[in-house]
Amino acid sequence: MKETAGNSLNNRFENDLDERMAKAIREEKRKQKDRERKRKNKAAARKLVLLLIVLAAAACLCVGLVKLFSSDVFETEEEFIAFADDSFESDSVCPESGVDDREYHFSEETSVAVRRGDWVDGETKSFLDRQINNISEKNNDAKALLIDTAAYTAENGAISAVIHYSTYTVDGRHMKRAVSKVDTYLFNPDTHRVADPLQVMNVNYKSKARDYAQEYFSKTFSKKQLSENWEDYIDSTDGNFNKFVVTSEQVTFFFDDGTVLQEGEGTPEMSVPQTIIGSAIRPVVLERYIDKKKPMVALTFDDGPYTKTETKILDVLERNGSVATFFYVGNRVENDHESALRAVKIGCELGNHSWSHPVLSQLDNKQVMSQIKKTNAVIHKYCGVEPVVARPPYGEFNDRVLKKTGMAQILWSLDTLDWKSRDPEAIFKAVKKAKSLDGKIILMHSIYEESAEATELIVPWLKENGYQTVTVSELIKYRTGRTPKAGQVYKKLN
Ligand code: ZN
């Protein structure tokens, strides 16, 4: 029994031990499982991270490959439209006008897209159409030409328009912007002639714009974006702040690429609210603004009318708000006076260049008088204006002729010799090389294509160099204080 009891005690003890051991083993197994689970989890996590890395690398590679092989060079009309729309969204500088009218002309050569905001009225629209045609003709070597335009009406009635255009070429697999330009135009609402900024704004507007621009550009753009001499483009000198539109809420100024901002940064615009610049807007648009103290020059064209070449001359005059005087040969007027009428409309002067271009001093008194009178009559009949200035053919005259014509005779102080060189660059050079053109009367002929091409160079150059273009009668008026006097010869007025 004892033994049995001892045995049983022993057994119990052994059982206890077994139980404890089993527990320990169970515990150990559990821990091991735990460790195993943790290890597995860790391994899984490592795998996941690795997988993510692999996936990310693959994605990068894909994007790289897509970039390498993709292209925004359009090939179809749909692709061109998508490209044009994208560019219009990102590059537009025209202030909102409420209208957004788009046209697309897809072509194997140059594809053209035009976006119009409001065009205000029919006359402004035809003017803008002419400029759009001109821009299209001159940029026909690009892959794409995008033109963005809108017109606005100011509170003083002034109409202003902006045309922004960019050309794109193909650079490998991508479209690259080559040219980005902005032109603006102001119009007198009554005459619809292109107006000078000072016909619309008071003379102090540039100093207001300068103060605003100083803060605007330094706060809006980084030092890296601003050009080295950006402040030169926002001082209130003649060359600056000439491109702008006036809306009922603001005046928006435009700056060419590579002026205030570094080249390639595009054409920035700056809108100055009415509350700041309103007092610098004239209450009414002036008919004409000529600063008597500033240099002025009279361009004169002989031997027309000749619509074929004069159209080009008038286009460039109109675009620049410039004027000229056309001395017409009477016997040409009846059959060709389309350009003559247009010249009058944009503020040019028509003069008398005899009926049939003879040497007047070789004619008798009656013949001289007939040459002059018949010409004045036909110009009046077809163009609605009576000339008050005349130019003798070949500049040839004598006292008798002078007396008999009864008109002011206009010679010239700068001969471009355009009829002789028939070379636009040489004609342009003849003008540029003069020390000062102030008060000068420049002689050209409107019947040559080369003279018209030279005019396209001369007129913007005169403007850039601070010359105001005036008609012969205006030059006489501003410089002598009188209207042209009959029997008087004018050559130079300074
Ligand atoms: Zn002549």
Side-chain angles (χ1 to χ4, degrees), residues 419-440:
W419 58 274
K420 207 170 167 186
S421 74
R422 301 290 295 269
D423 172 2
E425 279 299 332
I427 300 166
F428 183 28
K429 215 169 153 188
V431 174
K432 278 198 294 187
K433 76 174 186 199
K435 261 192 194 141
S436 166
L437 294 169
D438 187 23
K440 287 218 159 92

Side-chain angles (χ1 to χ4, degrees), residues 302-303 353 357 393-394 445:
D302 289 4
D303 297 354
H353 196 41
H357 212 274
Y394 315 103
H445 297 80

Side-chain angles (χ1 to χ4, degrees), residues 208-473:
K208 284 190 185 268
R210 176 200 56 207
D211 295 346
Y212 193 85
Q214 190 80 39
E215 207 180 326
Y216 173 78
F217 280 105
S218 56
K219 284 193 174 159
T220 316
F221 297 95
S222 68
K223 272 200 175 136
K224 240 176 129 183
Q225 289 173 293
L226 292 167
S227 70
E228 221 166 87
N229 52 338
W230 67 278
E231 281 169 300
D232 291 351
Y233 297 99
I234 58 153
D235 65 25
S236 51
T237 50
D238 281 348
N240 294 336
F241 297 115
N242 292 322
K243 289 186 181 184
F244 61 88
V245 292
V246 188
T247 77
S248 52
E249 279 125 37
Q250 71 211 28
V251 180
T252 302
F253 293 92
F254 303 92
F255 303 85
D256 286 326
D257 191 18
T259 57
V260 184
L261 299 189
Q262 300 271 15
E263 208 161 329
E265 290 280 345
T267 51
E269 78 272 20
M270 171 184 89
S271 291
V272 188
Q274 279 275 2
T275 45
I276 291 172
I277 205 163
S279 63
I281 304 173
R282 290 188 191 278
V284 284
V285 179
L286 297 184
E287 176 53 41
R288 196 138 160 73
Y289 182 86
I290 299 288
D291 188 337
K292 288 186 208 174
K293 286 179 237 119
K294 288 196 170 163
M296 54 183 81
V297 60
L299 289 168
T300 64
F301 293 92
D302 289 4
D303 297 354
Y306 192 46
T307 299
K308 195 168 168 270
T309 43
E310 284 177 358
T311 298
K312 199 174 243 179
I313 296 172
L314 293 171
D315 280 348
V316 68
L317 290 174
E318 183 184 38
R319 227 178 5 250
N320 289 280
S322 301
V323 294
T325 304
F326 292 85
F327 289 100
Y328 283 153
V329 177
N331 68 15
R332 302 182 68 113
V333 176
E334 187 178 349
N335 295 320
D336 187 358
H337 49 261
E338 194 190 316
S339 55
L341 277 168
R342 196 176 148 210
V344 173
K345 213 175 148 232
I346 67 167
C348 292
E349 180 169 23
L350 304 188
N352 185 319
H353 196 41
S354 82
W355 180 256
S356 56
H357 212 274
V359 176
L360 291 175
S361 54
Q362 287 172 1
L363 305 183
D364 66 28
N365 287 349
K366 219 178 134 192
Q367 286 169 319
V368 169
M369 282 163 72
S370 161
Q371 284 279 336
I372 299 299
K373 277 190 176 160
K374 269 169 81 183
T375 301
N376 279 350
V378 79
I379 290 176
H380 185 250
K381 183 176 173 189
Y382 288 100
C383 312
V385 291
E386 180 109 9
V388 295
V389 291
R391 172 170 286 159
Y394 315 103
E396 175 67 41
F397 68 95
N398 56 26
D399 282 349
R400 179 179 62 90
V401 168
L402 208 55
K403 225 173 165 184
K404 286 296 155 195
T405 58
M407 292 179 80
Q409 296 292 330
I410 313 299
L411 298 180
W412 53 87
S413 37
L414 193 154
D415 191 348
T416 60
L417 295 173
D418 58 338
W419 58 274
K420 207 170 167 186
S421 74
R422 301 290 295 269
D423 172 2
E425 279 299 332
I427 300 166
F428 183 28
K429 215 169 153 188
V431 174
K432 278 198 294 187
K433 76 174 186 199
K435 261 192 194 141
S436 166
L437 294 169
D438 187 23
K440 287 218 159 92
I441 299 169
I442 299 177
L443 171 64
M444 292 176 79
H445 297 80
S446 58
I447 53 170
Y448 305 120
E449 177 63 27
E450 296 85 354
S451 305
E453 283 168 23
T455 309
E456 290 183 320
L457 304 170
I458 293 168
V459 169
W461 182 85
L462 286 173
K463 219 173 146 179
E464 274 161 33
N465 285 277
Y467 289 106
Q468 309 170 93
T469 55
V470 289
T471 65
V472 163
S473 285

